[in-house]
Amino acid sequence: MSGLDALAAHLDVADMFWIQQDMAALSMHAGEQLAAARWATADRPAPCGLLYWQDGIGHMDAQGVQIPVEACVWGPYEGEMLLWLLMSRDRLVAETRQRGHPFDIVEDAVPPLIPIYGATLPVTTDPASMADLDPGLPQPVVAALASAWLLMQQPLLIDRTRERADKPTARAYARDGLPTPDVTVVDLRRQYTPQDRDPNAGSDQRTYRNRWIVSGHWRNQAYGKERALRRQTWVPAHMKGPDGAPLLSTEKVNVWRR
């Protein structure tokens, strides 16, 4: 079975996850501190999964062309885990029009999600170093995925809700004789009361106009029977600033270059 055949097979049975903006930002932030990760079935939120990042999770640079990464698909493959990175058809159409290319995308001929890079990751007992993974994979994206999986195992930090597909999607599935899918929406739970007031403010009582991430860190936490097992656990970073305010990005931009 080829990698693309395996991708199609995984998509047929994949659990679907939608990662909200705040959760995606925390996953990227925490991933910068994650040097190694495990890719075994027990470490995944589902044996096969499709995870879509709201607003994307960075870009790949392929011979000078920046390709947005918006989704990840994983599943078993020849004793390892196959990981595919994808972008959306809507994004492809929008960027093609924005750049003024002299051709139109025939949308009916393009799948909703487009594979852009696939690679296998080792299934090991001990965490595998990020530095030892396929050099073609953009490490910030892979680290964010591993971080998201770990964060999903912390119910005090993360909210997970199940939502039914919208009506157009449900109708499309019904036409193909398939049951209407559920999507797991994953978001960052606010563990602290937002600090709307500037602690350095004087009598003018300035207010924050943005949100930002206050740093956290990973801890090798004991868990399981007699606490004999170990798992990377995030000692919470948290979002600060007023609800609904724009999320500040850092000056650091993660770009993969070949």
Side-chain angles (χ1 to χ4, degrees):
M1 180 186 295
S2 71
L4 285 172
D5 289 336
L7 169 62
H10 293 157
L11 285 171
D12 279 342
V13 297
D15 286 1
M16 291 182 284
F17 301 87
W18 177 276
I19 303 297
Q20 300 280 51
Q21 183 189 45
D22 288 354
M23 175 65 180
L26 177 58
S27 298
M28 286 292 290
H29 173 77
E32 293 175 355
Q33 303 180 46
L34 192 64
R38 292 189 309 203
W39 307 100
T41 304
D43 297 293
R44 310 170 204 165
C48 297
L50 163 62
L51 185 150
Y52 193 93
W53 305 91
Q54 182 181 9
D55 300 328
I57 196 69
H59 290 74
M60 296 173 59
D61 189 309
Q63 299 180 349
V65 178
Q66 291 200 5
I67 304 175
V69 178
E70 296 179 89
C72 301
V73 175
W74 65 84
Y77 184 73
E78 298 182 352
E80 297 186 296
M81 190 195 83
L82 179 62
L83 174 65
W84 276 95
L85 308 181
L86 307 96
M87 70 176 294
S88 70
R89 175 178 60 200
D90 290 345
R91 184 74 172 269
L92 175 64
V93 170
E95 296 209 358
T96 299
R97 291 173 178 168
Q98 182 179 1
R99 296 172 187 273
H101 290 298
F103 56 84
D104 292 324
I105 303 294
V106 181
E107 296 187 41
D108 291 342
V110 179
L113 290 173
I114 305 163
I116 56 177
Y117 194 85
T120 55
L121 284 72
V123 173
T124 55
T125 301
D126 296 324
S129 170
M130 293 290 177
D132 294 337
L133 300 181
D134 184 324
L137 284 170
Q139 186 169 320
V141 174
V142 179
L145 177 64
S147 294
W149 289 359
L150 290 166
L151 292 167
M152 285 183 203
Q153 299 177 49
Q154 297 183 235
L156 296 180
L157 183 63
I158 301 302
D159 278 325
R160 297 174 61 164
T161 57
R162 298 283 287 179
E163 295 190 8
R164 301 287 285 174
D166 58 22
K167 290 183 179 178
T169 301
R171 286 196 294 267
Y173 270 70
R175 285 195 298 269
D176 292 335
L178 299 173
T180 302
D182 287 338
V183 178
T184 298
V185 178
V186 185
D187 202 359
L188 179 63
R189 175 177 293 176
R190 285 181 173 270
Q191 293 191 313
Y192 303 92
T193 303
Q195 300 295 312
D196 291 345
R197 298 296 181 184
D198 186 338
N200 299 317
S203 58
D204 58 351
Q205 291 297 299
R206 290 177 294 163
T207 59
Y208 292 131
R209 297 181 180 272
N210 300 93
R211 293 172 299 149
W212 67 96
I213 293 173
V214 177
S215 294
H217 60 276
W218 293 106
R219 174 188 295 158
N220 198 23
Q221 185 80 29
Y223 76 103
K225 186 177 181 180
E226 298 181 352
R227 299 178 65 81
L229 302 175
R230 294 279 173 176
R231 179 172 60 205
Q232 291 282 74
T233 301
W234 185 246
V235 178
H238 61 281
M239 199 68 63
K240 207 169 182 183
D243 287 320
L247 180 65
L248 283 177
S249 59
T250 64
E251 294 182 359
K252 180 178 179 179
V253 178
N254 292 306
V255 177
W256 172 59
R257 302 187 184 279
R258 296 189 69 176

